[in-house]
Amino acid sequence: MTIQFHDETFRDDYTFHNSPEGIRRFPFPFDQDSYMYSVNLEPHAGGKAGSPFEKRFDVDEHYVAEMRDRAITLAEDPLRCQSLPHMELAGWDFLELVMVSKSEDYPELFMLNRDGDRWHWINRPLGIEQRFTFLDATTLPCGPMEYITRQTQGDHALLDQRDGNLWMDAGMVTSQADWSLDFDIGMNFFEWHAPVPKAHELGVFQRALKFLLNLQQGAPSRRLNWTMTVNPRLDTSPENYHKWGPEKRTVAPGNVGAKQYLRVELQTLWRLPRSNAIAFPIRCYLCSLEDLVTVPKWGRRLHRVLRDLPDELAEYKGFAVNRPVILDYLAPFDDGAPTSPGIFPD
């Protein structure tokens, strides 16, 4: 498999773009013509060839550019990566998971040789080669979680399990949908989900926590989540709201197709072996409306979902102010025809 990595930006001039193949592999989050919160977890055990679900950690055409953007964000705000002292072992667990997965799933891009605790890691796309001693943090340039998440797309939270709950005690978060690691660090599962409307009264988080507390090693799960973003900006953090918040007011009928993006998170959950923590990667994918409607099924379905979504969810998902112009743009692509089940293009 050959991936052509894009030279692109997720800020300032916004040169991000999806190739035609990138559009068709986009993880469209709606499997029917309506949406409401649900646990929607399924086994993360492979998937359709070429899709983001096929490999354990998806690597795509945006990999190099996303890692460059992460480095910019971390240079500006180092608190986007934090790990409480008791989470170092979980960091090593996660480093092992990612290195083994990537070297096995993408052998042309990544290599890992292990001789006892002496490890040799090569990341060809980023030009990284590192020899280190596993479980000895002095042999890496930074902590194990930070080291590997500077080379892994998506945000990553490490959750400690204790007292019948999950606690966000470590993370690398630079491409989040309006939440703050610095604010949430040390919070439990219900505390960091407190802002989500409707889901609490539906019992979604109670069911999800019960499932996660029983998550087994070797049996990861996944789900899709979504929101809307103006411009292809990865860092939509509360800390930088003054940069991206005003951009919502720049959408108009003449530019909505290019400026309004569907932002989808592929969330996976992994039980880690030594620490018993849960790794929670949150991989962000972006696709503009004008690209989405090139798949007729998606154009029809997205119009119906956004049209019928309750107002409080439209506000929470970040597009209430632009819903009229978005729906006006999408309406011509909805001819009223039925849509096939599932998320993939016809």
Side-chain angles (χ1 to χ4, degrees):
M1 180 186 66
T2 301
I3 302 175
Q4 298 297 317
F5 297 114
H6 292 184
D7 183 9
E8 60 191 356
T9 58
F10 298 88
R11 60 184 73 209
D12 301 327
D13 56 351
Y14 293 117
T15 61
F16 166 88
H17 63 288
N18 286 306
S19 68
E21 297 79 15
I23 295 169
R24 291 191 64 84
R25 76 185 303 272
F26 181 74
F28 188 74
F30 307 114
D31 62 356
Q32 55 186 346
D33 290 352
S34 61
Y35 172 81
M36 181 48 69
Y37 280 116
S38 64
V39 176
N40 70 308
L41 284 162
E42 65 179 16
H44 184 42
K48 185 176 180 180
S51 76
F53 314 109
E54 181 185 9
K55 309 293 188 184
R56 285 167 282 186
F57 291 89
D58 186 41
V59 176
D60 67 7
E61 60 195 14
H62 308 296
Y63 174 64
V64 173
E66 285 189 29
M67 296 300 92
R68 186 185 307 130
D69 190 80
R70 165 155 292 160
I72 294 170
T73 300
L74 288 171
E76 295 175 348
D77 185 1
L79 291 178
R80 301 300 186 84
C81 180
Q82 298 189 46
S83 180
L84 300 184
H86 64 278
M87 296 300 286
E88 182 172 309
L89 183 59
W92 283 110
D93 277 338
F94 190 56
L95 175 145
E96 177 184 48
L97 173 65
V98 174
M99 286 187 175
V100 170
S101 298
K102 284 189 170 183
S103 61
E104 291 177 352
D105 292 348
Y106 301 93
E108 72 283 10
L109 301 179
F110 307 96
M111 185 195 79
L112 177 65
N113 287 327
R114 293 183 285 179
D115 180 10
D117 62 1
R118 293 178 297 176
W119 291 26
H120 181 201
W121 166 249
I122 296 177
N123 178 329
R124 293 187 179 92
L126 298 184
I128 293 171
E129 181 172 1
Q130 184 77 42
R131 297 179 187 272
F132 63 97
T133 302
F134 187 69
L135 298 180
D136 182 355
T138 66
T139 62
L140 286 176
C142 54
M145 183 198 68
E146 179 179 350
Y147 181 78
I148 198 58
T149 55
R150 281 180 176 267
Q151 303 176 52
T152 308
Q153 287 167 281
D155 291 333
H156 307 276
L158 299 183
L159 313 178
D160 192 31
Q161 182 166 326
R162 61 182 189 274
D163 302 329
N165 213 323
L166 296 173
W167 304 80
M168 189 179 293
D169 286 347
M172 169 70 86
V173 180
T174 65
S175 56
Q176 69 273 50
D178 199 12
W179 64 279
S180 169
L181 175 68
D182 193 38
F183 185 78
D184 288 355
I185 192 82
M187 285 189 179
N188 70 38
F189 187 81
F190 296 118
E191 290 170 338
W192 84 69
H193 282 113
V196 183
K198 284 189 174 290
H200 293 277
E201 52 263 42
L202 293 171
V204 170
F205 295 126
Q206 291 85 346
R207 294 194 299 274
L209 179 62
K210 182 178 180 180
F211 176 89
L212 294 176
L213 292 175
N214 292 289
L215 187 67
Q216 299 297 302
Q217 186 183 343
S221 293
R222 67 184 178 220
R223 67 185 294 267
L224 293 176
N225 192 24
W226 68 278
T227 185
M228 303 286 282
T229 299
V230 175
N231 292 324
R233 177 184 285 272
L234 287 176
D235 178 22
T236 56
S237 60
E239 289 88 346
N240 278 334
Y241 184 80
H242 62 285
K243 296 179 180 180
W244 59 268
E247 293 179 347
K248 293 184 181 183
R249 301 289 180 174
T250 66
V251 172
N255 65 20
V256 60
K259 288 181 72 74
Q260 186 70 61
Y261 280 72
L262 181 60
R263 183 187 194 103
V264 174
E265 296 172 349
L266 171 56
Q267 304 177 351
T268 55
L269 296 133
W270 308 76
R271 176 70 69 186
L272 299 177
R274 300 170 186 83
S275 60
N276 199 45
I278 291 178
F280 181 32
I282 308 165
R283 173 66 194 282
C284 173
Y285 296 82
L286 296 163
C287 194
S288 66
L289 296 186
E290 65 183 10
D291 284 345
L292 283 167
V293 299
T294 63
V295 179
K297 171 181 171 178
W298 293 352
R300 295 186 187 102
R301 181 165 289 170
L302 186 61
H303 174 253
R304 297 168 194 181
V305 168
L306 300 187
R307 178 193 64 200
D308 299 338
L309 200 70
D311 290 343
E312 57 266 46
L313 285 186
E315 185 68 38
Y316 178 70
K317 295 292 187 180
F319 70 97
V321 66
N322 291 319
R323 176 143 70 165
V325 69
I326 292 170
L327 293 178
D328 285 347
Y329 177 83
L330 292 173
F333 300 98
D334 184 359
D335 56 8
T339 56
S340 62
I343 66 174
F344 294 107
D346 292 327

